[in-house]
Amino acid sequence: MKMKMFRVIVSFLGVCVCCLTVYMFFGYEDSVAVEDETPVVASFTVSPEVPSFIRFCGKEIDLTRYNVHEGMDRELSSFAYLHSSTMLLIKRANRYFPVIEPILKANGIPDDFKYLAVIESLLDPRATSPARAAGMWQFLESTGKQYGLRVTATVDERRHVAKSTEAACKYLNEAYGKYGDWLTVASSYNAGMGRISGQIEKQQETSVLNLYLVEETTRYPYRMLAIKLIFEHPYKYGFILKPENLYRPIHCQEIMVDRDIPDLVDFARQYDITYRDLKDFNPWLKDTKLVTGGGKYEVLIPYKNALYYHSPNSYVHDKRWVVD
């Protein structure tokens, strides 16, 4: 009897060991599977939502057609995850939009076209493209001269923020007179009116978004629309800034010059600023001297106390850019 009981206990223990082994084996497999799915990065990448429409220059643009939705998705994703570059654009806009916006308004250009300057030059008046387009609005030398900008051995007004914006307005108004549609105007700024007009006629298409164009021009309007969305809703797309993070406008005195300046270093010292200060606030000065050629130029001299961040920036051009 005792032997029989012993055999029953041994059998029971054997079954328990087998069950435990099986459980541990499958439990291990499950734990490995779970471990394989455990995130190993510090953050997640979430695809930004593409809205069904966007308003541009007062007109509602449908974003639901496949090529339009996907084109917008590409540029929105790009700007949303180019974190440092996109954040820098918002910081710079706090300094340059107060200059650009009144000029657009005075010339009858919709305010949304300030975003064209953003995608053209990243709001850098010194920007130069491989094709040698220059300035905030990226004019070629010939085109800049065509719209009233002076380009000489010592002067390049393509890099003058206010004057180049005036020139851009002339182009934009001329193009709008031709097309009557601001999005088509924006595309023509990249490709030229001749090319856009030719493709509209050739492809028998009225919407520039549905034209078959080279990749750069195809992407161009979507880049403009995407950066508009992010600038208007930065927090939604992951950009958190405070007023002190933005670049404040630096106030300057305006000096009218109608004579040659043989040495800009000496000229800067006369106003107790550095040569670099002079070039930073007047990027249109190309050389170490200024030859006026009988013309007059307005030189900006920054106020010395405005050059320092003794106190945090408190100027916020657009309240949507910052969080409390």
Side-chain angles (χ1 to χ4, degrees):
M1 186 64 141
K2 289 183 179 180
M3 183 60 69
K4 186 176 180 181
M5 181 65 70
F6 176 76
R7 289 175 179 171
V8 170
I9 293 172
V10 169
S11 298
F12 176 75
L13 290 175
V15 172
C16 289
V17 169
C18 290
C19 290
L20 182 60
T21 301
V22 171
Y23 174 80
M24 290 179 66
F25 174 77
F26 285 106
Y28 173 76
E29 290 290 321
D30 289 343
S31 67
V32 169
V34 170
E35 186 176 342
D36 286 343
E37 294 300 318
T38 301
V40 294
V41 294
S43 62
F44 292 94
T45 302
V46 180
S47 181
E49 176 189 358
V50 177
S52 59
F53 70 91
I54 185 173
R55 293 194 69 81
F56 178 71
C57 299
K59 181 180 178 180
E60 188 174 294
I61 298 173
D62 183 6
L63 300 178
T64 59
R65 196 174 193 276
Y66 84 96
N67 59 306
V68 179
H69 175 92
E70 293 169 15
M72 190 67 177
D73 181 62
R74 176 179 181 175
E75 304 311 324
L76 196 56
S77 298
S78 178
F79 280 121
Y81 287 103
L82 283 173
H83 298 108
S84 58
S85 297
T86 304
M87 185 167 59
L88 183 62
L89 295 178
I90 299 173
K91 292 181 178 184
R92 287 177 177 171
N94 199 56
R95 176 172 294 166
Y96 290 117
F97 276 8
V99 178
I100 293 172
E101 288 178 358
I103 297 173
L104 294 178
K105 184 176 181 179
N107 285 275
I109 303 298
D111 187 67
D112 281 342
F113 269 88
K114 63 192 176 189
Y115 299 115
L116 188 147
V118 177
I119 66 169
E120 277 288 338
S121 63
L122 305 181
L123 292 179
D124 180 2
R126 294 181 179 278
T128 303
S129 76
R132 308 195 70 150
M136 192 81 79
W137 295 88
Q138 289 290 283
F139 280 105
L140 293 171
E141 182 174 332
S142 58
T143 311
K145 289 179 176 178
Q146 178 184 345
Y147 290 98
L149 298 176
R150 284 178 281 192
V151 182
T152 70
T154 65
V155 169
D156 190 344
E157 290 186 334
R158 294 178 297 169
R159 294 185 168 90
H160 192 297
V161 177
K163 290 184 178 180
S164 65
T165 303
E166 291 279 2
C169 288
K170 292 177 183 177
Y171 174 92
L172 297 171
N173 272 322
E174 181 181 330
Y176 187 73
K178 184 178 184 68
Y179 298 116
D181 175 72
W182 287 114
L183 200 60
T184 307
V185 170
S187 291
S188 78
Y189 198 89
N190 175 260
M193 283 185 267
R195 186 172 301 172
I196 292 297
S197 296
Q199 290 303 317
I200 288 174
E201 182 179 356
K202 183 177 181 179
Q203 298 180 38
Q204 301 179 32
E205 177 57 57
T206 57
S207 171
V208 73
L209 296 179
N210 292 331
L211 289 177
Y212 183 80
L213 301 166
V214 297
E215 183 179 17
E216 180 186 346
T217 306
T218 297
R219 295 180 63 181
Y220 195 81
Y222 298 116
R223 295 185 72 232
M224 192 173 178
L225 296 176
I227 205 64
K228 168 185 162 71
L229 265 184
I230 291 177
F231 265 66
E232 292 181 349
H233 309 280
Y235 185 82
K236 178 179 179 179
Y237 294 100
F239 296 94
I240 302 174
L241 296 101
K242 296 182 178 181
E244 56 265 32
N245 300 140
L246 304 177
Y247 297 163
R248 66 185 180 205
I250 295 179
H251 299 295
C252 301
Q253 60 175 316
E254 301 169 355
I255 304 298
M256 190 61 68
V257 174
D258 58 5
R259 296 182 181 181
D260 293 353
I261 302 175
D263 190 330
L264 289 173
V265 174
D266 287 343
F267 179 81
R269 292 299 179 186
Q270 291 175 27
Y271 291 95
D272 198 26
I273 61 172
T274 67
Y275 176 64
R276 173 175 180 161
D277 295 334
L278 181 66
K279 298 284 273 190
D280 279 347
F281 291 91
N282 302 276
W284 53 273
L285 292 169
K286 285 173 63 174
D287 204 347
T288 57
K289 61 182 181 291
L290 170 63
V291 178
T292 61
K296 293 183 179 181
Y297 294 92
E298 192 177 78
V299 178
L300 298 180
I301 305 295
Y303 290 106
K304 195 168 185 180
N305 63 352
L307 296 174
Y308 297 87
Y309 280 90
H310 289 310
S311 57
N313 170 65
S314 59
Y315 174 78
V316 178
H317 184 67
D318 190 326
K319 301 297 182 184
R320 294 173 296 185
W321 296 343
V322 298
V323 295
D324 295 330

